[in-house]
Amino acid sequence: MAQEMIEGINPTRMELLKLKDREKLAVKGYSLLKEKRNALIMEFFNILERVKGSRQIVEENLQEAFDDLTEAQIIMGDLAVNKASLSVKESIEMDIDSRSIMGVVVPVVEYSSPQRSMVDRGYGFVDTSVKLDEAAKKFEESLSLIIELGEIEKTIILLAAEIESTKRRVNALENIIIPRLENTVKHIEMRLEEMERENFVRLKVIKKAMERE
Amino acid sequence: MTSSIAVVADADTVVGFRLGGIKQGYVVETTEEAEEALTKLIKENTSIIIITEKIGDELREVIEKFTKSSALPIIIEIPDKYGSAERTADPMMELIKRVIGVEMVK
C-alpha cells in the first residue's frame, strides 16, 4: 500500500499533537456523515414506496381526461370548447410549506380540490355538452394527482442530490483523508523515536569519551 | 407564501387544464417559446409548473438547473394527449438507479 502522507509537515511534537487533533475530528465527522447518509437513504426508500405506481395512475387518469376532451371537441367544436375553458373559474386552493429531512428542505403541498358541480365551474350550459363536464371533472381529478406526484418527485430529486454529495464526502473521508492523517501521524512518531535513539547513543559515546580522558 | 400554478403545453393540454381550473395556461408551439414561458414563470416565483414530456425532453438542461438546487418551483412532466412518449430512459428511474446503485421500483 502506498503510504500517502500530507506534504510539508515537520516531524515535531507540536505538529504531532495538531495532527492527532485533526484525525480525531475527521473520524468524528466521518461517523456523523455516515449516520446522515444512512438516515437519508432510509427516508429515500420510504418515499420510493409512495412513488411506486403513482405515475401510472396519473397517466391513466390523464388519458381518460384527454379522451373526454377530444369527444367534447368533436361534439362542440374546438372554438366552443376553448371559449368555455376560458370562462372556467380558478379551482386551486393550495398551500405550499416546506419541511426539512436531515437538512434537505423539501416542499409539502397541501392541496384541497373542492368537488365542484357544473354550476360552479362558470361556463354556460346552453352551448356546452355533457362530455365537457366529464372532461372538466376528469381534469380536476388528475390535477390533484399530478400535484401530489410532483411533490413526491421533487422530494426524490432533492434527496437524491443530497445523498450523492454525502456519499462522496463519506468516501473521501474514509478512503483518502483519514488514512493520510494516520500515515502522517505514524511517520512523525517514528521519526521522533528515531531521534530519541540517536540522542541516546550520542550521549553514551560522549560519556565514554569523557571517561577515557 | 403565495402559491400559484401554471401550465406550459400544447393547445389541447392547456385547454384541458383550463377546464380543470388552472387560469395560467401558456400555449407554446416551439422550443424557444417554451423556454421563454418557463423562464418567465420561474422568475415570477410560480410554485408549480406543469409541462408536457415533450417539452421536458427538449429543455432538460434548463429544467435541471432549476429543479436540482431549490425546493421550488416544482416542475411536473405529464404526457400529452398522444399518450406517454416511449422514452429510452425515464429520468426518475435513472436518478434512483444512480443513487441506490440498483434498479428498485417496477
Side-chain angles (χ1 to χ4, degrees):
Chain A
M1 196 181 90
Q3 296 273 305
E4 263 196 86
M5 289 194 312
I6 299 165
E7 303 282 316
I9 292 233
N10 297 324
T12 59
R13 258 174 219 290
M14 220 23 225
E15 292 286 355
L16 183 67
L17 284 176
K18 261 194 221 159
L19 275 177
K20 274 189 175 164
D21 275 351
R22 268 177 70 186
E23 193 189 337
K24 228 184 268 168
L25 186 71
V27 170
K28 208 172 172 185
Y30 167 67
S31 68
L32 278 176
L33 273 176
K34 215 163 133 188
E35 264 172 47
K36 180 183 173 185
R37 184 194 62 187
N38 290 345
L40 277 174
I41 288 181
M42 229 152 71
E43 198 71 40
F44 195 72
F45 276 115
N46 282 344
I47 288 163
L48 281 189
E49 283 293 308
R50 278 175 67 197
V51 82
K52 227 186 237 175
S54 82
R55 187 149 260 279
Q56 266 114 316
I57 295 170
V58 166
E59 277 173 18
E60 280 161 23
N61 243 298
L62 262 179
Q63 199 53 51
E64 278 175 31
F66 277 126
D67 286 348
D68 276 344
L69 181 68
T70 314
E71 275 180 51
Q73 279 171 336
I74 292 168
I75 295 169
M76 294 164 52
D78 277 7
L79 227 59
V81 173
N82 275 356
K83 210 175 76 191
S85 78
L86 283 172
S87 52
V88 172
K89 286 183 206 139
E90 187 130 49
S91 72
I92 294 107
E93 263 178 50
M94 62 170 185
D95 211 11
I96 297 193
D97 226 342
S98 58
R99 82 189 162 108
S100 161
I101 304 172
M102 303 296 295
V104 189
V105 182
V106 298
V108 178
V109 184
E110 264 173 53
Y111 175 80
S112 62
S113 69
Q115 283 297 312
R116 301 207 290 181
S117 64
M118 299 177 298
V119 189
D120 299 328
R121 289 204 184 100
Y123 50 76
F125 301 120
V126 183
D127 51 356
T128 54
S129 134
V130 185
K131 275 287 163 199
L132 190 71
D133 299 334
E134 277 177 22
K137 191 160 167 276
K138 292 252 170 70
F139 268 105
E140 276 166 19
E141 280 170 15
S142 10
L143 194 57
S144 58
L145 288 173
I146 287 171
I147 290 174
E148 199 188 320
L149 178 71
E151 180 197 334
I152 299 172
E153 286 198 350
K154 184 82 194 186
T155 309
I156 288 183
I157 292 172
L158 290 171
L159 270 184
E162 187 67 20
I163 288 176
E164 275 191 327
S165 76
T166 313
K167 240 183 184 172
R168 193 165 296 146
R169 275 199 244 163
V170 168
N171 284 344
L173 276 175
E174 185 180 5
N175 297 323
I176 296 170
I177 296 176
I178 292 177
R180 213 177 260 183
L181 282 170
E182 274 173 357
N183 287 337
T184 317
V185 166
K186 215 192 260 165
H187 170 78
I188 294 180
E189 273 173 351
M190 262 152 55
R191 273 301 290 274
L192 286 175
E193 279 168 20
E194 188 62 31
M195 269 156 77
E196 215 164 279
R197 281 192 289 274
E198 266 173 29
N199 246 344
F200 185 69
V201 171
R202 199 174 292 138
L203 280 177
K204 278 217 153 175
V205 171
I206 292 172
K207 209 175 166 191
K208 245 183 208 162
M210 281 167 76
E211 274 170 7
R212 233 183 276 145
E213 274 174 12
Chain B
M1 189 188 251
T2 50
S3 322
S4 49
I5 181 164
V7 188
V8 177
D10 60 279
D12 280 331
T13 313
V14 170
V15 168
F17 280 102
R18 278 207 187 115
L19 281 177
I22 297 177
K23 284 270 111 176
Q24 273 187 289
Y26 294 85
V27 180
V28 293
E29 302 281 344
T30 61
T31 314
E32 289 80 38
E33 273 176 17
E35 189 174 349
E36 206 177 297
L38 208 60
T39 340
K40 183 170 158 280
L41 284 172
I42 290 166
K43 234 178 242 158
E44 286 170 2
N45 287 327
T46 311
S47 321
I48 299 182
I49 303 172
I50 298 174
I51 61 172
T52 55
E53 285 177 354
K54 233 193 252 154
I55 296 174
D57 282 341
E58 280 160 8
L59 294 176
R60 177 71 50 224
E61 275 153 39
V62 183
I63 292 163
E64 294 225 322
K65 201 170 73 199
F66 292 110
T67 47
K68 272 263 166 82
S69 49
S70 59
L72 291 175
I74 301 173
I75 297 179
I76 313 164
E77 291 173 33
I78 55 150
D80 57 15
K81 73 169 172 180
Y82 304 109
S84 171
E86 286 297 319
R87 289 173 152 185
T88 44
D90 187 345
M92 218 44 170
M93 289 301 132
E94 283 288 298
L95 187 73
I96 293 167
K97 206 170 149 188
R98 212 173 61 222
V99 170
I100 306 296
V102 280
E103 206 137 359
M104 286 291 313
V105 194
K106 274 187 199 169

